[in-house]
Amino acid sequence: MRLQDRTAIVTGGASGIGKAIAMGFAAEGAHVIVADIIDNPLEGGAKTVDAILEAGGKATFRECDVMQSADLEAAVAEAISIAGRLDIMVNNAAARCPKPMHETTEEDWDRVVGVNAKGVFLGCRAAVQQMLTQDIRNEVRGRIVNLSSQHGMVRAPNAFAYGVGKSAVVYMTKQIAGDYAEHGIVCNAVAPGKILTGKTGAPIAPKAIEYSHARTPWPRLGKPSDVANAALFLASDEASYITGENLMVDGGWMAN
Ligand SMILES: NC(=O)c1ccc[n+]([C@@H]2O[C@H](COP(=O)([O-])OP(=O)(O)OC[C@H]3O[C@@H](n4cnc5c(N)ncnc54)[C@H](O)[C@@H]3O)[C@@H](O)[C@H]2O)c1
């Protein structure tokens, strides 16, 4: 029970990797607030909160659009009403737009960079504002885990706005880690490579799978639990003296 009595918010926790993170945290004792614009997983299956409650864990769903600061502040307020503090903030929600730069409209840019960069800024800001008011426990006032990507560190083929937003996540993670270390706030990122979340269509189109295998030295592509395990480590007390890190969970993609 590595997160016993901790409160965590997971944005985009209804689906895919966010669902795996929420379930992993709850299995380790956290009360998880699933903050998403939907509660039915994009890939189908049980709602995150139902699955957690079924397994004997603690979870609450909160409708939250990460582009709206008031929604994130309300999610933080919910954590406070549950446990009096917010221990862990996971900024996982993301939007995609499969277009090269010359076809990217201003609306595409505003939506995708809005969710992937502004949404992470607003999530970090709401969390830090609360964490600064909390007691230090075991050296730490609170922990932030952001979801970045290998795309944004290297070119994201046919996904210009997505890559730009993700590169901002890597930068924000370092700046927040440096700015708030003296206050006992830890900020790290997890950078997934190609993760198969159960979604059909474009994410598993033969061309996309072939490209991902060609880039990934490890013989299989990723599972949501691979990323959830890394997020769990960074959210736990086991990750001591680690901040500003962008932990690749990519089967070696970036080493290749
Ligand atoms: N799946 C991969 O291969 C992969 C690779 C690299 C990085 N990532 C990153 O990992 C994270 C999770 O990826 P995934 O594949 O599970 O994503 P997903 O598309 O399966 O799920 C994203 C979730 O975010 C929610 N969301 C979207 N816009 C939102 C908003 N405005 N406010 C709140 N919630 C919103 C969606 O409703 C959904 O539940 C993302 O940050 C993604 O960029 C994923």
Side-chain angles (χ1 to χ4, degrees):
M1 298 300 261
R2 287 184 280 172
L3 303 184
Q4 186 74 53
D5 299 328
R6 310 279 165 94
T7 337
I9 295 173
V10 181
T11 72
S15 311
I17 292 169
K19 180 177 179 181
I21 292 172
M23 292 185 64
F25 282 17
E28 293 289 334
H31 185 126
V32 180
I33 297 167
V34 176
D36 205 309
I37 48 175
I38 55 165
D39 64 350
N40 278 311
L42 292 171
E43 65 277 9
K47 293 177 183 177
T48 307
V49 168
D50 292 350
I52 290 173
L53 297 179
E54 176 80 11
K58 297 179 287 258
T60 317
F61 177 77
R62 168 126 219 138
E63 195 172 329
C64 170
D65 177 349
V66 296
M67 285 202 283
Q68 307 297 328
S69 55
D71 285 8
L72 285 155
E73 285 155 13
V76 173
E78 184 153 341
I80 305 317
S81 74
I82 290 166
R85 64 189 279 135
L86 173 67
D87 297 292
I88 304 156
M89 179 78 193
V90 181
N91 293 297
N92 163 82
R96 294 180 177 79
C97 174
K99 291 184 184 176
M101 190 272 287
H102 71 282
E103 289 175 9
T104 301
T105 65
E106 289 182 54
E107 290 73 23
D108 294 332
W109 172 275
D110 289 346
R111 177 178 63 84
V112 176
V113 179
V115 174
N116 296 1
K118 181 184 172 187
V120 173
F121 152 58
L122 292 176
C124 289
R125 189 178 69 172
V128 167
Q129 285 172 347
Q130 168 56 33
M131 289 170 180
L132 286 171
T133 70
Q134 300 177 172
D135 295 343
I136 291 186
R137 290 190 188 164
N138 206 5
E139 282 192 85
V140 169
R141 279 185 216 277
R143 293 175 178 270
I144 297 172
V145 181
N146 295 325
L147 271 288
S148 60
S149 173
Q150 86 282 35
H151 289 138
M153 299 168 68
V154 293
R155 185 178 76 95
N158 214 30
F160 176 74
Y162 178 85
V164 171
K166 288 293 167 182
S167 68
V169 175
V170 178
Y171 175 79
M172 279 191 277
T173 300
K174 290 180 197 293
Q175 169 124 17
I176 292 164
D179 287 351
Y180 297 100
E182 64 175 310
H183 299 286
I185 295 172
V186 175
C187 184
N188 289 296
V190 179
K194 179 67 177 177
I195 309 297
L196 301 175
T197 60
K199 278 206 291 294
T200 54
I204 56 158
K207 213 173 148 192
I209 296 296
E210 199 181 309
Y211 174 74
S212 298
H213 272 299
R215 292 295 309 245
T216 307
W218 200 254
R220 66 167 173 85
L221 298 178
K223 299 180 284 191
S225 60
D226 296 321
V227 183
N229 287 335
L232 174 59
F233 166 66
L234 292 173
S236 77
D237 291 346
E238 286 168 27
S240 52
Y241 204 54
I242 300 173
T243 197
E245 185 56 50
N246 181 38
L247 177 58
M248 308 302 309
V249 182
D250 67 349
W253 181 307
M254 288 293 289
N256 207 12

